[in-house]
Amino acid sequence: MKKPNTQALSLRVPEPSGRPGDPTDFSHLKLDPAGVVERPEVSTKPFDMRDHAFRLVRVLDDDGKAVGPWNPKLDPETLRRGLKAMILTRAFDDRMHRAHRQGKTSFYMKCTGEEAIAVAQGMILSREDMGFPTYRQQGLLIARGYPLATMMNQIYSNASDPIKGRQLPIMYSAKDFGFFTISGNLGTQVPQAVGWAMASAYKGDDKIAITWIGDGATAEGDFHNALTFAAVYRAPVILNIVNNQWAISSFSGIAGGERTTFASRGLGYGIPSLRVDGNDFLAVYAVTRWAANRARSGLGPTVIELFTYRAEGHSTSDDPSKYRPGTEAGAWPLGDPIERLKAHMIGAGLWSEDQHAALEKELEEVVRAAGKESESYGTLKEGARIPASTMFDDVYKEMPPHLVEQRKQAGV
């Protein structure tokens, strides 16, 4: 029997601000103006900077000027390197997306709108530090000069694939470039990064780790387990949460982003946490440098929420027009990272429209040449393949008898 003075309960299911056919509405976002968020000392205790988990660090204002205490005051050459790497990353993405449409690969994932994140952070850390990425940090390799043709070989799983066809396309592995093997089991890279950082500290090394996770995967246990270990053992690691508003087809509110910020999750573990405009190259650079200095000083981990927007589909298997307004990407209030850095450099007298157009054309040719080289080794459609016999290699130093027998039975 129903008790008096009670009401029936109801389950609340979060809903995004718009669905297909609805007008785009970002009025619910709370965005600090550029330059107003204070920059704490690296040694500041997490409790004393808790507001940074709810504010938004921005450097570039609406006119493209760098303002405020977080301005990293980069020299012209560093700015040009960053802009070039972002343009090259986008050109690479565009060609690989076309290659998928032509049947040359089975799968691809673009990072359109998120280029500033991996590029800026890849420029801060060295190749001796170890990055534990998800699948949208191709800019990390590109910013460090990893051969484009080799990346394409992995995507095509051709005869020159450095991973010998054992990974899904775009799941690169490049130890010499500080790029740990990508795992398709989302979330596992975070405890791996913390463990690597703990080992570095245990050995008395001077190297730190950095990892990335999407907003949706922060709801997984791996993420929270990793934060516990990072905090308890003061691991020298940077824990990035890339909040691009959408986890495949579910918006960030399903993972808790509607109730509070993702950065605030670090506060419960006693980890300093910041939110930064992920489409602002200068802001990403400055906050990452702050976190890296903290880690290298033996002060432990930092959580960074990179507030950005996934401008295109989750992958080539996804159609975002099925779950969000078609005008959302163009209306994102924090703009496009490449255009914003370009505007800043032009305003500072360091760049021009003609230089930008020339660089875009030059880099398209670089990507095209790499594509021709890679396709000469084969694609999904044609060309030589990695011998099937290699599936037995690279596991044991000396192959045990039962695998020797299995290889004979397989006829390879």
Side-chain angles (χ1 to χ4, degrees), residues 198-274:
M198 289 170 59
S200 181
Y202 181 78
K203 294 184 296 184
D205 209 336
D206 61 354
K207 301 175 181 62
I208 68 174
I210 183 171
T211 187
W212 296 261
I213 193 171
D215 48 275
T218 61
E220 297 187 14
D222 282 337
F223 173 77
H224 296 274
N225 295 338
L227 263 63
T228 297
F229 275 81
V232 170
Y233 296 99
R234 201 180 293 170
V237 60
I238 301 174
L239 303 155
N240 293 296
I241 303 169
V242 183
N243 179 8
N244 63 14
Q245 315 306 311
W246 291 94
I248 308 183
S249 58
S250 62
F251 88 115
S252 60
I254 296 295
E258 190 181 56
R259 308 298 295 177
T260 186
T261 67
F262 288 101
S264 67
R265 296 186 175 183
L267 297 180
Y269 297 90
I271 300 175
S273 306
L274 308 96

Side-chain angles (χ1 to χ4, degrees), residues 115-228:
E115 293 90 351
I117 295 170
V119 168
Q121 296 188 311
M123 291 171 62
I124 287 287
L125 274 68
S126 74
R127 284 165 50 173
E128 285 70 39
D129 299 315
M130 186 56 70
F132 291 76
T134 59
Y135 35 65
R136 237 179 285 277
Q137 277 78 56
Q138 52 265 57
L140 181 64
L141 288 172
I142 292 173
R144 293 177 173 174
Y146 190 76
L148 298 182
T150 305
M151 294 177 70
M152 294 176 178
N153 291 340
Q154 193 279 324
I155 294 168
Y156 291 144
S157 296
N158 61 26
S160 294
D161 175 7
I163 312 181
K164 302 181 180 180
R166 298 170 183 171
Q167 271 279 33
L168 186 72
I170 61 85
M171 292 191 174
Y172 316 104
S173 178
K175 181 179 179 180
D176 292 344
F177 283 76
F179 197 98
F180 198 85
T181 308
I182 295 177
S183 172
N185 299 317
L186 298 181
T188 58
Q189 72 277 9
V190 186
Q192 290 168 356
V194 172
W196 193 97
M198 289 170 59
S200 181
Y202 181 78
K203 294 184 296 184
D205 209 336
D206 61 354
K207 301 175 181 62
I208 68 174
I210 183 171
T211 187
W212 296 261
I213 193 171
D215 48 275
T218 61
E220 297 187 14
D222 282 337
F223 173 77
H224 296 274
N225 295 338
L227 263 63
T228 297

